[in-house]
Structure formats: C-alpha cells, structure tokens
C-alpha cells in the first residue's frame, strides 16, 4: 500500500537509483576480477585527490541535509544559499575527480591501459556523470529559488505547494544516493589496493 501512495516521480527516481546501483555493482565486480591479472596491487594507489573529493562530497551532503529545514521555515534566502554552496562543492568535486585522473595518469595508469586501471576511470567517470545530472537539477532549483525569493507572493505559493516539496525531496534523495555511492566506491578502491 505504501508503494501505491508513492509519488510517480519518486518511484522513477528510486528505480533509477536501483539501476545505477546495479550498474556500479557490475562495474566493481569487473574491476575486482581484472585486478589480479592486469595490475599488481602495489602499483595501484588511490589518488590523493579522490580523498579530497570524498571530503567535498560529504560536505555537500551535509549542506543538502539542511535544505528541507530551510524550506519548512519558508526561508528562501537560506535555501538559495544552501543551493549555492552545494553547487560550489559539487563543482569542486568534479574538479578534484579530474585532478585524480591526472594523478592516475602521472602514476602510469591509463584509461587505455590495463583493465583494472581503466575501470578506475570508468567507474569514477560514471559517478561524475551522475553528479552532473544532479547539478543540472540543482541549477534548475537554484534559479527557481532565486526568482521566487524576489516576490513574497511567489515565495508563499512555493512554500505551500506540495509539488515544490517533492522536487526538493527528489533532489535531496538523489544527492544523498550519489554521496553514498561514491563513499562505497571510494572505500572499495582503498581496501582493494
């Protein structure tokens, strides 16, 4: 019965997250099976920039967890600021992922090289693509919030409209999913090397 009361957009999001989770699981399995034969463990080190990107993503997830409270308080300025900080942290995450790839290249691990090294690029790159999808939705919500914050009537309508809250719930759930997915991937990379 609970699933029948679930908003269709939330159902699509949850199905998409399950599909993405399975995709990452299959890629991790392929990465694991390719490790022994293609790359010795001592040659593979998780880039230091991946550590920094993990910290940035955790910080962004902490900020995202405050979005609902700002919305419930009808504080559009605070909501806009949280969106802005999340955007900055998400952009910094993508930049540190790129720098992590540069670090992999500098250590002799190439995307066209041995399978395990290539999987590091593919898996982390796929995660960045997921992040970019979230960033597009984030920009949409942030622009909408900026426009709404300038008009008290629009602000009142936005804070009392249940669909606006669903959009915020969708973004929050997706962002936390991306954060959790990266933490699992990062820890797997750390402990498999």
């Amino acid at each position: 019965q609970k699933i029948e009361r679930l908003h269709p957009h939330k159902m699509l999001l949850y199905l998409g997250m399950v599909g993405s989770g399975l995709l990452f699981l299959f890629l991790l399995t392929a990465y694991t099976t390719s490790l022994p034969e293609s790359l010795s463990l001592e040659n593979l080190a998780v880039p230091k920039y991946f550590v920094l990107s993990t910290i940035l993503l955790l910080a962004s997830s902490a900020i995202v967890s405050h979005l609902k409270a700002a919305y419930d308080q009808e504080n559009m300025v605070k909501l806009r600021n949280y969106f802005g900080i999340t955007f900055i942290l998400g952009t910094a995450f993508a930049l540190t992922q790129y720098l992590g790839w540069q670090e992999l290249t500098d250590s002799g691990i190439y995307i066209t090289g041995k399978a395990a090294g290539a999987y590091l690029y593919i898996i982390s790159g796929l995660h960045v693509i997921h992040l970019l999808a979230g960033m597009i939705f984030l920009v949409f919500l942030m622009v909408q919030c900026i426009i709404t914050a300038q008009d008290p009537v629009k602000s009142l309508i936005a804070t009392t409209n249940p669909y606006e809250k669903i959009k915020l719930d969708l973004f929050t759930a997706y962002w936390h999913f991306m954060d959790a997915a990266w933490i699992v991937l990062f820890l797997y990379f750390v402990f498999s090397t």
Side-chain angles (χ1 to χ4, degrees):
Q1 289 181 354
K2 186 175 181 179
I3 207 164
E4 293 171 356
R5 291 192 309 256
L6 194 62
H7 191 278
H9 292 160
K10 285 186 178 182
M11 175 61 81
L12 288 173
L13 176 68
Y14 296 152
L15 289 173
M17 290 190 310
V18 168
S20 292
L22 288 173
L23 178 61
F24 282 120
L25 177 66
F26 294 142
L27 287 171
L28 280 180
T29 303
Y31 167 74
T32 303
T33 58
S34 69
L35 265 178
E37 62 191 44
S38 68
L39 200 61
S40 64
L41 296 180
E42 59 270 1
N43 291 342
L44 179 63
V46 175
K48 291 177 181 67
Y49 280 107
F50 281 8
V51 175
L52 178 58
S53 67
T54 302
I55 293 167
L56 291 169
L57 198 58
L58 284 170
S60 72
S61 195
I63 296 296
V64 165
S65 66
H66 295 298
L67 290 175
K68 189 172 186 262
Y71 179 83
D72 290 341
Q73 295 168 359
E74 300 177 8
N75 190 337
M76 299 305 276
V77 173
K78 190 183 278 189
L79 190 65
R80 179 200 64 206
N81 292 342
Y82 287 148
F83 281 138
I85 293 168
T86 304
F87 179 79
I88 291 167
L89 290 171
T91 303
F93 173 84
L95 178 64
T96 54
Q97 288 290 289
Y98 174 76
L99 294 172
W101 297 332
Q102 291 295 321
E103 200 174 330
L104 284 173
T105 303
D106 293 343
S107 65
I109 300 170
Y110 304 101
I111 193 165
T112 57
K114 299 185 180 201
Y119 277 119
L120 279 174
Y121 287 97
I122 292 167
I123 293 169
S124 59
L126 185 61
H127 186 268
V128 169
I129 290 170
H130 280 77
L131 176 106
L132 293 177
M135 296 278 284
I136 290 169
F137 192 38
L138 170 63
V139 168
F140 168 76
L141 292 174
M142 186 168 54
V143 168
Q144 186 179 15
C145 183
I146 290 168
I147 292 169
T148 302
Q150 296 173 358
D151 185 356
V153 175
K154 286 182 180 179
S155 181
L156 177 65
I157 292 169
T159 55
T160 57
N161 184 348
Y163 185 65
E164 296 302 319
K165 188 172 184 177
I166 287 173
K167 288 193 289 190
L168 190 62
D169 288 344
L170 292 171
F171 173 74
T172 302
Y174 183 77
W175 201 265
H176 288 313
F177 164 76
M178 274 194 334
D179 184 29
W182 177 252
I183 296 300
V184 169
L185 295 170
F186 175 74
L187 290 175
Y188 193 83
F189 291 150
V190 167
F191 290 114
S192 68
T193 58

